[in-house]
């Protein structure tokens, strides 16, 4: 037994030493200063601190910090400070060592980063929505202190996703959902394109394993065909680039499984209908730094002489980089085989930024770096401003921030010709708030390209915008309906709340003055009488109405109070002045605690079996996504301790995964063919005599499926149809779709969630 332990111990030691040596080797290959001594010191300290601890997978725990440090070094391009912080990132959280201990041994900078990582440990979201918002705020605030905190946190999440297989299914859903909701867009916004893609693919793999495997299989089976297309398409391009004498390399870029699936879902198309799976990337070394931009356009001109470019698909991110620092020239060319192929032209420097993000080359880079006010700096400043305003609702706060995380950029100009990067679909009002809060709160309209437009006008790339203001203008509640950026929404809400508080306070003072002037007691009973007289439920509503001038306190109010008290159950009324709000919070918290306790009574390690009897008695199939047997699903324990079944890709489920991960359950269908479920199918094609008859014949007679509802419309020779059917499972739907696609002139058949869904081509 002792020999076995010794052998296991020796195997662990070798595995740990090999992993650390690999980290050191990769660090020494980088351009950073070679601070091997402090990295070795951090490794030895972390190794001792985590001694004897193992991960859920069974491997020694120290291998996780080493892996995170390797990602930070190799895949993000960070240096010794970040590597040490990554090696130490779980020490304060999981052992008895403190931040002060880290500071004494490794200095204030590493201690500050480890402290930031400790504050946001355990994932962005806690078990309750309120904790969720606070942890998310901490995460964003630490970004503002030192961007390396979030970069190491992304590295930590990437390694956790790579090793997610050892977790329980319910945990996998929570972590995968959280990753797609926050970490992938954060990585994208910080320019970490390769990491963003891997996070998306890994999340997709765990949420929809069968679909992921199917797409991977189709990518593999079509690889040879793509290789031939790439070879034929790039041959004349290589010949032309060789003549130009510019050092280059040409790569094939294949669309990721998640991106393919996303497009299939959004466009309601099959894998075979996606035509941009292959793109071509030209990466060149410029003649010199000054000629980099010119070389980009020279290559574009050269390849445009070989293949005809698409007139509407030139994307110039060289002259105007994306907000995450991405630079490239994208052009779509028509191949000799009649296929549109996108070509991305980048310098080696642009490619480094695209793959690793410019955060690695930014002001915190070891050995000094540029102090320029880049887009990332502006974005962090915007987030800081948003965090300065209180946000009582956790989910609203997250959705507001996500407006900025996901936004695509457009470029607009000020009257003086200065360029501003703004999110796509932003309005003139958003632009006003992006310049200054005072400008936004006093704007009355705008001139776009010298023409007068309303504040709700949606800006286009290239617009020149002038904001018109008035000192008498005030923020209007209706503005929140067409503000789209996080900053504008946050500022509008903050101003409206402040005004509401001021009006309520004014009303409270007027009510107190009314009682004092008329020598009456400001009792609960008298306040209740005033509320009843003005038809409001609470003291807060009364005070706000009085402050806004909606209600006026007159002799009628005085007479009402002086009447004999009624037998109304006024004791239930608790006024604002006597702390009703606190009691309400206590009640709410008690209810939440009770719900939390109830959820714990369900064995979450157990996979829920959806048998016919169980579905009819114990579970609710969510109406928002209408799951049927065969769909990838999960269970959610609601506030009434009922289990609601959602599709995993349902938008509501996505929010539940990130907000209430502790209430998720793994679910497995076991219905056989015992139950039937309604599904909706959309068909589109070229109109002709007998098409409807052919469709109904296949469904009803050949497949023996009951049609519940049918609607066919024809316009200009094109027909669209919506059919509601009753089926047993997803296999039935697939069989129906496959058979309908065989009908001549039917061009599209797809399952839709709602009968009236709008389908875009």
């Amino acid at each position: 037994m002792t020999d076995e332990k010794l052998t296991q111990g020796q195997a662990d030691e070798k595995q740990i030493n090999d992993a650390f040596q690999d980290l050191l080797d990769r660090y020494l290959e980088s351009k950073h200063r070679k601070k091997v001594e402090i990295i070795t010191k951090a490794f030895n300290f972390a190794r001792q601190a985590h001694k004897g601890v193992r991960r859920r997978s069974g491997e020694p725990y120290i291998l996780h910090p080493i892996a995170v440090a390797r990602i930070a070094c190799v895949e993000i391009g960070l240096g010794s400070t970040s590597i040490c912080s990554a090696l130490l990132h779980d020490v304060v959280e999981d052992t008895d060592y403190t931040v002060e201990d880290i500071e004494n041994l490794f200095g204030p900078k590493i201690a500050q980063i480890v402290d930031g990582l400790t504050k946001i440990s355990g994932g962005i979201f806690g078990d309750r929505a309120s904790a969720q918002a606070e942890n998310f705020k901490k995460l964003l605030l630490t970004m503002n202190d030192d961007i390396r905190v979030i970069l190491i946190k992304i590295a930590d999440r990437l390694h956790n996703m790579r090793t997610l297989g050892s977790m329980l299914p319910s945990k996998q859903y929570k972590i995968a959902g959280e990753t797609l909701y926050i970490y992938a867009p954060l990585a994208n916004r910080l320019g970490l394109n390769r990491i963003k893609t891997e996070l998306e693919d890994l999340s997709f793999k765990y949420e929809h394993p069968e679909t992921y495997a199917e797409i991977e299989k189709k990518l593999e089976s079509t690889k040879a065909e793509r290789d031939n297309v790439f070879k034929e398409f790039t041959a004349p391009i290589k010949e032309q680039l060789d003549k130009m004498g510019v050092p280059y390399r040409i790569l094939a870029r294949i669309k990721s499984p998640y991106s393919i699936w996303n497009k299939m879902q959004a466009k309601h198309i099959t894998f075979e209908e996606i035509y941009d799976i292959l793109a071509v990337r030209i990466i060149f070394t410029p003649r010199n730094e000054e000629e980099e931009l010119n070389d980009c356009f020279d290559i574009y001109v050269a390849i445009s002489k070989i293949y005809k470019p698409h007139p509407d698909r030139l994307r110039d991110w060289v002259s105007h980089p994306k907000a995450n620092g991405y630079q490239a020239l994208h052009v779509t060319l028509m191949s000799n085989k009649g296929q549109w192929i996108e070509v991305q032209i980048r310098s080696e420097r642009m490619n480094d930024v695209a793959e690793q993000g410019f955060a690695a080359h930014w002001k915190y880079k070891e050995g000094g770096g540029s102090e320029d006010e880049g887009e990332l700096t502006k974005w962090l400043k915007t987030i800081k401003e948003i965090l300065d305003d209180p946000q009582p609702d956790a989910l609203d706060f997250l959705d507001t921030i996500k407006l900025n995380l996901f936004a695509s950029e457009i470029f607009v100009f000020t009257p003086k010709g200065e360029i501003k990067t703004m999110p796509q679909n932003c309005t003139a009002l958003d632009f006003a708030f992006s310049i200054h809060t005072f400008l936004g709160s006093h704007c009355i309209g705008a001139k776009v390209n010298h023409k007068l437009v309303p504040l709700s006008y949606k800006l286009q790339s290239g617009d020149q915008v002038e904001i018109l203001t008035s000192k008498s203008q005030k923020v209007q509640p209706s503005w929140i309906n067409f503000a789209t950026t996080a900053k504008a929404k946050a500022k509008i809400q903050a101003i409206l709340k402040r005004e509401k508080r001021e009006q309520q306070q004014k009303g409270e003072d007027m009510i107190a003055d009314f009682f004092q002037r008329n020598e009456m007691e400001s009792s609960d009973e008298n306040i209740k009488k005033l509320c009843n007289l003005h038809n409001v439920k609470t003291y807060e509503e009364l005070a706000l109405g009085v402050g806004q001038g909606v209600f006026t306190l007159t002799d009628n109010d005085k007479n009402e109070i002086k009447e004999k008290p009624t037998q109304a159950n006024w004791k239930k009324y608790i006024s604002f002045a006597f702390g009703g709000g606190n009691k309400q919070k206590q009640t709410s918290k008690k209810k939440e605690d009770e719900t939390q306790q109830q959820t714990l009574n369900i064995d979450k390690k157990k996979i829920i079996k959806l048998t016919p009897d169980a579905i009819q008695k114990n579970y609710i199939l969510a109406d928002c996504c209408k799951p049927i047997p065969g769909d990838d699903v999960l269970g959610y324990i609601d506030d009434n301790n009922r289990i609601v079944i959602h599709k995993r890709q349902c938008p509501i489920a996505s929010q539940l995964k990130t907000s209430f991960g502790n209430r998720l359950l793994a679910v497995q269908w076991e219905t056989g063919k015992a139950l039937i479920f309604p599904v909706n199918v959309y068909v589109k094609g070229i109109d002709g005599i007998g098409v409807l008859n052919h469709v109904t014949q296949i469904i009803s007679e050949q497949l023996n499926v009951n049609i519940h509802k049918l609607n066919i419309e024809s316009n200009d020779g094109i027909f669209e149809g919506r059919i509601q059917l009753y089926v047993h499972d997803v296999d039935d739907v697939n069989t129906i779709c496959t058979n309908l696609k065989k009908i001549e002139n039917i061009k599209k058949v797809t399952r839709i969630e709602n009968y009236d869904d709008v389908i875009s081509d």
Side-chain angles (χ1 to χ4, degrees), residues 345-526:
I345 307 166
R346 307 172 175 173
S347 68
E348 289 287 357
R349 181 194 64 81
M350 293 174 191
N351 191 61
D352 286 343
V353 171
E355 294 302 321
Q356 291 192 325
F358 70 0
H361 308 274
W362 194 49
K363 64 171 71 170
Y364 291 110
K365 180 177 175 181
E366 280 84 354
S370 163
E371 292 290 336
D372 65 296
E373 274 285 311
E375 288 294 338
L376 179 58
T377 318
K378 293 176 194 171
W379 184 58
L380 292 174
K381 187 179 176 186
T382 301
I383 285 175
K384 182 79 166 61
E385 288 174 356
I386 292 166
L387 292 168
D388 285 341
D389 288 316
Q391 288 281 346
D393 189 288
L395 297 179
D396 280 354
F397 172 77
L398 285 169
D399 288 340
T400 301
I401 291 290
K402 272 171 63 61
L403 286 172
N404 267 14
L405 293 185
F406 281 120
S408 299
E409 293 87 14
I410 62 170
F411 305 103
V412 294
F413 296 90
T414 67
K416 292 181 180 178
E418 295 170 5
I419 194 164
K420 291 279 293 180
T421 305
M422 294 291 295
Q424 207 166 33
N425 295 320
C426 70
T427 62
L429 180 67
D430 296 316
F431 180 80
F433 273 103
S434 76
I435 302 292
H436 197 278
T437 301
F438 181 85
L439 196 69
S441 56
H442 290 82
C443 60
I444 54 173
K447 281 185 177 179
V448 173
N449 305 325
H450 309 291
K451 292 180 181 177
L452 193 64
V453 298
L455 292 174
S456 57
Y457 179 85
K458 285 193 176 180
L459 301 178
Q460 305 293 320
S461 215
D463 281 345
Q464 188 170 32
V465 189
E466 179 187 353
I467 299 299
L468 308 174
T469 62
S470 167
K471 288 182 180 178
S472 61
Q473 176 68 298
K474 295 176 69 177
V475 170
Q476 304 299 312
S478 61
W479 288 5
I480 204 72
N481 297 326
F482 54 82
T484 66
T485 62
K487 181 175 181 178
K489 278 183 175 288
K491 289 295 180 188
I492 291 166
Q493 287 172 335
I495 291 167
L496 290 174
K497 283 172 190 167
R498 186 175 68 241
E499 288 179 354
K500 186 177 176 182
R501 283 196 302 269
E502 289 170 357
Q503 290 164 341
Q504 187 173 310
Q505 184 58 55
K506 180 183 174 184
E508 289 176 15
D509 294 341
M510 291 170 72
I511 293 169
D513 181 62
F514 167 79
F515 280 116
Q516 189 175 5
R517 205 172 57 246
N518 292 290
E519 298 180 345
M520 294 184 297
E521 185 187 355
S522 176
S523 64
D524 290 352
E525 182 183 3
N526 288 343

Side-chain angles (χ1 to χ4, degrees), residues 132 293 486 636 710:
Q132 167 190 25
L293 189 146
Y636 167 69
L710 174 66

Side-chain angles (χ1 to χ4, degrees), residues 40 96 277 297 339 355 362 399 522 564 608 746:
T40 305
D96 293 332
I277 288 176
F297 281 95
Q339 182 181 351
E355 294 302 321
W362 194 49
D399 288 340
S522 176
K564 189 176 178 182
I608 300 295
I746 285 192

